[in-house]
Amino acid sequence: MLGEEVEDVVSINGQSPICISFSSHIDPNTSQVLLGNITHAANEGHDEIHLFMSTPGGTVNEGICLYNIIRSLPIPVITYNMGSVNSIGNVLYQAGTERVCAETSSFMFHGVGFDIENVRMELKDLNERKVAIENDQSQIASIMDRHTPLDRDTINELFLKMDFMSASKALDRGLTDKVGRVRLPQGIPIHQLVFQ
């Protein structure tokens, strides 16, 4: 509603926080740049990372690798959905020690797949692809199960039907911790990752 008060949802707890902004597809190149910036920030003495993100998704392996490394860091990484977090981006988002959504952000879920372009496949190839897809979906479901109150059946439903979720619905379903206005305090360093 017009004039409605929106709560600020950024809380800075570290003495030397940094913000890294990632708005890109998740692939081997972009994930290495993101990891390089995150580990550099930790090595430079920043004690809290605020990861602003918006992504259409990307490669499952890269998303899971990002998740595992972020979860292994000795400092908190707070993840923010600043636009849309889609597909494997949901796994990266769940890596946050705290998960925050801008009020106008959204999420999108769908099943794992693979692209074929002028490829001849035999039955054994199809079986290998099927096993790989089932493994990827199982890993993603395990991560979502670990960080949200959604049960496996609900998570599998999200895979089967392409599903979009508003920030408020994501809050209701436990996919995020906070929804509101994201406004950083004056003086926090902000690194925008740019990809060409």
Side-chain angles (χ1 to χ4, degrees):
M1 270 189 236
L2 191 58
E4 186 177 324
E5 274 299 309
V6 179
E7 179 186 350
D8 285 343
V9 289
V10 175
S11 56
I12 305 294
N13 297 309
Q15 297 299 307
S16 179
I18 188 170
C19 177
I20 297 173
S21 181
F22 176 83
S23 181
S24 180
H25 193 260
I26 297 169
D27 62 32
N29 176 53
T30 61
S31 65
Q32 289 305 309
V33 172
L34 176 56
L35 284 177
N37 277 266
I38 286 173
T39 55
H40 180 74
N43 289 334
E44 289 293 302
H46 293 284
D47 57 359
E48 190 173 78
I49 297 171
H50 295 261
L51 177 58
F52 283 13
M53 57 183 287
S54 183
T55 178
T59 309
V60 172
N61 290 342
E62 298 301 325
I64 290 175
C65 179
L66 285 168
Y67 166 86
N68 286 328
I69 292 174
I70 288 171
R71 295 294 295 178
S72 73
L73 293 175
I75 61 173
V77 176
I78 297 88
T79 52
Y80 294 79
N81 181 344
M82 298 301 289
S84 60
V85 169
N86 300 345
S87 191
I88 195 63
N90 287 290
V91 166
L92 176 56
Y93 182 75
Q94 293 302 322
T97 51
E98 185 176 15
R99 305 156 306 162
V100 180
C101 282
E103 60 184 330
T104 54
S105 62
S106 66
F107 296 86
M108 187 270 284
F109 300 87
H110 66 81
V112 175
F114 66 96
D115 299 319
I116 297 179
E117 199 173 306
N118 299 325
V119 174
R120 179 181 183 276
M121 299 192 89
E122 296 178 5
L123 185 57
K124 69 176 181 62
D125 301 315
L126 291 171
N127 284 331
E128 286 173 8
R129 292 290 185 161
K130 178 181 180 285
V131 169
I133 288 172
E134 289 171 344
N135 181 62
D136 287 348
Q137 285 195 179
S138 177
Q139 286 183 294
I140 294 168
S142 174
I143 290 168
M144 298 302 290
D145 186 36
R146 188 176 306 134
H147 296 285
T148 73
L150 301 179
D151 59 43
R152 284 296 179 109
D153 289 340
T154 304
I155 293 165
N156 288 330
E157 254 180 56
L158 292 174
F159 287 146
L160 291 174
K161 58 175 190 178
M162 183 188 261
D163 197 10
F164 289 86
M165 225 180 268
S166 67
S168 59
K169 186 175 177 184
L171 181 64
D172 291 343
R173 298 191 75 181
L175 293 166
T176 189
D177 300 311
K178 294 180 182 177
V179 173
R181 180 174 48 212
V182 177
R183 187 161 50 192
L184 291 171
Q186 188 74 28
I188 187 171
I190 303 169
H191 290 218
Q192 172 64 52
L193 306 185
V194 178
F195 305 97
Q196 296 181 355

